[in-house]
Each structure stands twice: as C-alpha cells, then as structure tokens.
Amino acid sequence: MQGSGLLIAGTFVAIWASAFTVAGVVVKEWPPLWALGIRFGLTVPLLLAILLIMRSRLPRPGDIGRVAVLGLCGMGGYLAFAWLAMARIPTGLVALICATTPLMVAAGESLFLRRPLPGLAWVGLAIGWSGVALLGFLRAVDGLAAAEALGFVFALGAAISQAVGLLVYAPAKGRVDIWFASFGQTAVSAALCLVLALALEGAPPTSASLPTVAAMGWSMVVVGIGAYALNFAMMRRVPASTAAALQLLAPPLAAVFGWALLSERLYASDIMGGVLTLGGLALLVHARSRG
C-alpha cells in the first residue's frame, strides 16, 4: 500500500473514532434524538449542493428504495441507538459494541443471502460474539445499573440496525452514486430522528454551549461529509481486506479519545471483552479476505 493510501486510511479511522467522542460531548447537553435530527437536517442542504455540483446521476427506482432503507436503518436507526447509548455508557464501549456490525452482516449474508462463509470465518464469529457476551456478563457482575444496561442494549441495537441497512443496500452498492447514497440516507435519517425526537423528547433544545456547537460542527462537516469522501478515496487506493482491518483500530482509538477528552474510563472487564471481540473480528476479516 502506498504512503498516500495509508495516510487516507489513517485519517479516516481517526475521524471515524472521533465521531463517538464528539457525540459524547453533544449528548451531555442536548437530547440525543434532537441533536441527531438537527445535525442531519443541517447536513442535507450541504449534501444536496455537493450532489448538484458533482452532477450525480439518479439511481433506478428500486435502488432508491434500498437507499431509503439504508437511511432508515443503516444511518438513522444506527446513530439514534448509538447516541442514546452514549448518553448512558462510555463512548469507547459504544464504539466497541457497534464494531460488531461486521459479525452481524456476515451471519446475515450466510443465513439470509445464502453466501457461504469459510470455516475460519465461523470461528471468528464465535470468538467475536463470545467477546460481546463477556462484556455484558462482566458488566453485570460488576453491578450494571439500569441506565447502563439500557445503554448496552441500545448499543447492540445500533449494530443490528446498521447491519440490516447494509444487507438491504448491498445489492445496489455498485450501482448507486456515492453522493446520492449519502444525500438520500441523510435525508431519511433527518426525517426519522426529528419524528422520534418530537414523540419522545418533547421540545427541542434552545441553547448551546461552545463545546456543543463545535462538536456539532465537527460531526456534520468532518464526520458526516469528510469521512464519507475519505472512505470513498480509501476504497479506491487500499485493498478491501486492509481497509477492513484498519477500521478495527477505530474502537480502541475512540476509547483513548473518550479517556483523554471526556474523562471516561473503561473497566478491565471491558478491555478483556474488547480484545476478544476485536480478535474475532480480525479473524473474520482475514478469513473473508482469503475467500
């Protein structure tokens, strides 16, 4: 891999990890669903402008439906669950649990799309899920509070929702323009989160501190737009197996960011379960890269 490809991949991983940290800043002051609804609503016009400048082509009607499901589950549902989780448990722990999405996608491809997995991949799945189970069990033994338990459930819901969106969208991935996909799923996510916020969180926030404004700006522009552009560039310059392996660095980096910037700490049990989960994911990535 060339130096430029490594730089792009490293920058993408750092930005992706920072998404959890800036979300942790926002949910300390704003209700999670309102924060997301506002973020998506403000991002939609930016993406529409990019869409028009790039002269992106419209996908076929069936693929538009898949983009809508991607927005409903793969972005809107995923981030709604994740931000609700980060209001209750450390952002690094949420990042780790959300990283199990590839485990769910691989299992879904095998069970529902009838795509066979290599034997080594099944071993990776077993190890990865063992890590998640260990995370939950050891947290419970440590005295998991009701709010923390709900946060753990929300984080798992985020991973499941993202996996569903990715599985539904998968057949259209090579046909839909990247910027149309980004615009479409963001617009659907905005509608979803605003409706949920109105129903569940009452009135919208009316004030914001400087850290919240800065975190929202980072989340919208750097994560919401920049990360997608970097991911597209990374996919063109870095082998898929290498890119997938590098993304495994995002959860531990998110934990470091949470510790350094939000004064969060992870328990030894979280680290044990995390190592096991990421080990299983790494084995899955390795097995699938070998065919």
Side-chain angles (χ1 to χ4, degrees):
M1 180 171 54
Q2 295 180 348
S4 60
L6 183 60
L7 179 61
I8 290 172
T11 304
F12 170 79
V13 170
I15 290 175
W16 202 246
S18 75
F20 294 91
T21 309
V22 295
V25 173
V26 174
V27 298
K28 289 182 182 298
E29 183 175 1
W30 281 6
L33 296 174
W34 270 117
L36 276 173
I38 292 169
R39 173 201 151 174
F40 287 138
L42 293 175
T43 306
V44 166
L46 298 176
L47 288 171
L48 178 59
I50 294 174
L51 192 71
L52 295 174
I53 292 171
M54 301 296 291
R55 297 182 179 179
S56 299
R57 64 185 185 279
L58 289 175
R60 62 184 68 173
D63 288 345
I64 291 178
R66 292 185 183 276
V67 171
V69 174
L70 182 64
L72 191 66
C73 299
M75 178 180 275
Y78 159 63
L79 287 178
F81 278 125
W83 282 43
L84 286 167
M86 284 185 281
R88 294 165 172 82
I89 59 177
T91 58
L93 183 58
V94 176
L96 175 62
I97 297 171
C98 288
T100 62
T101 293
L103 297 176
M104 299 179 185
V105 171
E109 286 178 342
S110 177
L111 295 174
F112 301 111
L113 301 182
R114 303 302 181 188
R115 295 176 183 171
L117 285 175
L120 194 61
W122 284 108
V123 175
L125 283 173
I127 294 174
W129 282 117
S130 297
V132 175
L134 184 64
L135 275 170
F137 173 74
L138 293 178
R139 275 266 172 169
V141 169
D142 286 337
L144 193 67
E148 289 181 315
L150 188 57
F152 198 91
V153 171
F154 280 146
L156 279 175
I160 293 170
S161 183
Q162 187 179 41
V164 170
L166 292 174
L167 285 169
V168 171
Y169 178 69
K173 185 177 180 180
R175 299 191 298 261
V176 179
D177 177 84
I178 183 70
W179 289 114
F180 182 89
S182 184
F183 166 76
Q185 66 177 328
T186 302
V188 172
S189 298
L192 171 68
C193 290
L194 288 172
V195 168
L196 289 176
L198 282 168
L200 302 176
E201 294 179 343
T206 56
S207 62
S209 64
L210 182 59
T212 296
V213 172
M216 282 289 287
W218 182 277
S219 182
M220 285 171 50
V221 179
V222 180
V223 177
I225 297 177
Y228 277 92
L230 281 173
N231 186 49
F232 182 62
M234 182 175 67
M235 291 297 104
R236 296 178 62 181
R237 300 187 182 206
V238 179
S241 58
T242 303
L246 285 171
Q247 289 183 47
L248 295 178
L249 297 174
L253 190 56
V256 172
F257 287 162
W259 166 77
L261 301 174
L262 302 177
S263 300
E264 295 178 347
R265 74 182 186 93
L266 297 178
Y267 296 96
S269 59
D270 297 332
I271 296 173
M272 291 170 56
V275 169
L276 199 58
T277 301
L278 293 178
L281 281 166
L283 191 59
L284 172 65
V285 169
H286 175 68
R288 299 190 77 176
S289 68
R290 294 177 57 186

